[in-house]
């Protein structure tokens, strides 16, 4: 495999994970995709650009290089479903609209997918594990922000239009309740934006697996409606006029996260 992730080590007790921002494809996946999947429509588009202030803020950042069409880094390695109803798995077989992802008989082989698990999925999760362990040892706690985005209208996955900011804490299991309340407050102060806590998106594998308040690791997923910062149709253009005010809200959320940690743990 080529480079499977990018990682930047910061100076604060915060790790930002971007598991669905990658655009890389293996040869088998590229050759097998149906025509409507060639543009990678289910990507979390422009997430590294949207969070380009995070390094200056002092956060550590890990981002995927390969597309979720190769392997989904936010699913468990045993591929157990995380949501009731329509969803996608460790090795996605459908687009978000429910249509087949691969041409008939052109899916990657079992051996190829085993290689994706070992050479793409595992390094990403080993990076998260190491960095959270380092942060907890250095600060006494660690904060994990799992950064996602999605089209605001996908009838196959959810009814109606998605709220702008969709916070997920696995129904309160992945982070302290007071922290979740403060994040909701920060969203409520952002005029012109809607938000929800533990709505359609409660947090995927990363949030659920690593968030452990009893061990002083607090994890939150944000599923951001793409209508807040980009065009949701091809060519999926970044909209600076939309993105700038949205970035201000994102910064406020991360600063709220960090301020809570300093108050709770003293550093």
């Amino acid at each position: 495999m080529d480079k499977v992730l990018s990682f930047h080590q910061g100076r604060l007790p915060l790790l930002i994970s971007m598991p669905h921002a990658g655009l890389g494809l293996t040869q088998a996946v590229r050759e097998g995709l149906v025509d409507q999947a060639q543009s990678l429509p289910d990507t979390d588009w422009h997430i590294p650009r949207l969070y380009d202030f995070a390094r200056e803020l002092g956060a550590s950042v890990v981002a995927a290089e390969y597309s979720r069409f190769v392997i989904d880094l936010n699913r468990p390695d045993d591929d157990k479903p995380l949501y009731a109803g329509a969803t996608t798995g460790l090795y996605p077989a459908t687009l978000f609209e429910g249509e087949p992802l691969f041409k008939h008989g052109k899916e990657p082989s079992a051996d190829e997918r085993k290689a994706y698990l070992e050479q793409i999925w595992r390094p990403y999760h080993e990076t998260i594990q190491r960095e959270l362990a380092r942060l907890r040892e250095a600060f006494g706690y660690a904060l994990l922000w799992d950064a996602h985005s999605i089209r605001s209208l996908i009838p196959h996955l959810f009814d109606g239009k998605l709220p702008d900011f969709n916070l997920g804490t696995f129904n309160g299991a992945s982070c302290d309740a007071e922290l979740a309340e403060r994040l909701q407050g920060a969203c409520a102060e952002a005029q012109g934006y809607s938000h929800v806590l533990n709505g359609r998106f409660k947090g995927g594998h990363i949030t659920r697996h690593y968030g452990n308040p009893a061990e002083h690791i607090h994890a939150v997923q944000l599923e951001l409606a793409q209508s807040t910062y980009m065009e949701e149709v091809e060519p999926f253009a970044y909209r600076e006029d939309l993105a700038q005010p949205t970035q201000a809200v994102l910064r406020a959320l991360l600063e709220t996260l960090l301020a809570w940690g300093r108050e709770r743990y003293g550093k």
Side-chain angles (χ1 to χ4, degrees):
M1 295 292 172
D2 297 326
K3 180 182 177 184
V4 299
L5 60 87
S6 62
F7 175 67
H8 166 79
Q9 188 173 98
R11 64 181 187 275
L12 296 177
L14 169 62
L15 172 61
I16 300 175
S17 162
M18 304 175 180
H20 292 156
L23 300 175
L25 298 174
T26 63
Q27 182 177 347
V29 171
R30 184 182 300 108
E31 293 177 352
L33 290 177
V34 297
D35 290 344
Q36 57 266 45
Q38 295 290 334
S39 63
L40 310 183
D42 298 344
T43 300
D44 289 11
W45 290 101
H46 310 296
I47 286 294
R49 181 176 178 180
L50 193 65
Y51 283 85
D52 63 5
F53 62 89
R55 292 189 182 194
E56 176 233 338
L57 192 66
S60 297
V61 181
V62 58
E65 294 289 336
Y66 275 88
S67 169
R68 69 188 300 164
F69 288 171
V70 177
I71 189 168
D72 193 329
L73 302 176
N74 202 28
R75 298 293 183 269
D77 58 0
D78 61 7
D79 204 15
K80 288 184 178 178
L82 296 178
Y83 292 100
T87 187
T88 56
L90 180 65
Y91 305 107
T94 62
L95 291 160
F96 283 170
E97 300 291 357
E99 300 163 340
L101 182 60
F102 292 99
K103 302 167 190 171
H104 182 67
K106 294 293 186 178
E107 301 87 353
S109 69
D111 285 345
E112 286 166 329
R113 285 178 164 170
K114 182 178 179 181
Y116 303 162
L117 181 66
E118 296 300 324
Q119 298 176 32
I120 300 175
W121 191 96
R122 294 209 188 284
Y124 193 87
H125 285 270
E126 287 166 0
T127 300
I128 291 178
Q129 291 167 358
R130 284 195 303 268
E131 184 61 4
L132 290 177
R134 184 189 74 83
L135 294 176
R136 190 172 62 171
E137 182 168 349
F139 296 94
Y141 69 104
L143 305 170
L144 174 61
W145 185 266
D146 207 36
H148 296 260
S149 73
I150 193 169
R151 296 194 306 278
S152 60
L153 291 166
I154 306 180
H156 183 66
L157 295 184
F158 50 82
D159 295 330
K161 186 176 182 180
L162 200 65
D164 297 321
F165 287 81
N166 299 265
L167 297 167
T169 65
F170 194 28
N171 291 327
S174 70
C175 83
D176 186 273
E178 183 187 358
L179 173 56
E181 185 176 343
R182 289 200 188 183
L183 292 171
Q184 283 197 92
C187 286
E189 290 176 4
Q191 294 186 2
Y193 295 95
S194 57
H195 72 279
V196 68
L197 174 65
N198 293 315
R200 170 61 178 82
F201 297 97
K202 304 178 188 299
H205 174 66
I206 290 171
T207 304
R208 301 179 192 202
H209 182 71
Y210 296 107
N212 189 341
E215 296 296 326
H216 310 296
I217 298 176
H218 303 271
V220 179
Q221 176 178 296
L222 175 63
E223 193 78 60
L224 181 65
Q226 291 178 344
S227 57
T228 63
Y229 72 94
M230 61 172 279
E231 296 291 347
E232 296 188 306
V233 296
E234 286 189 60
F236 308 115
Y238 191 80
R239 287 273 305 275
E240 192 68 45
D241 60 320
L242 296 176
Q244 280 193 1
T246 299
Q247 281 182 310
V249 182
L250 292 174
R251 181 184 280 270
L253 285 167
L254 296 184
E255 289 175 345
T256 297
L257 190 72
L258 289 164
W260 175 86
R262 288 191 297 268
E263 291 176 23
R264 172 69 178 272
Y265 294 97
K267 57 181 177 180

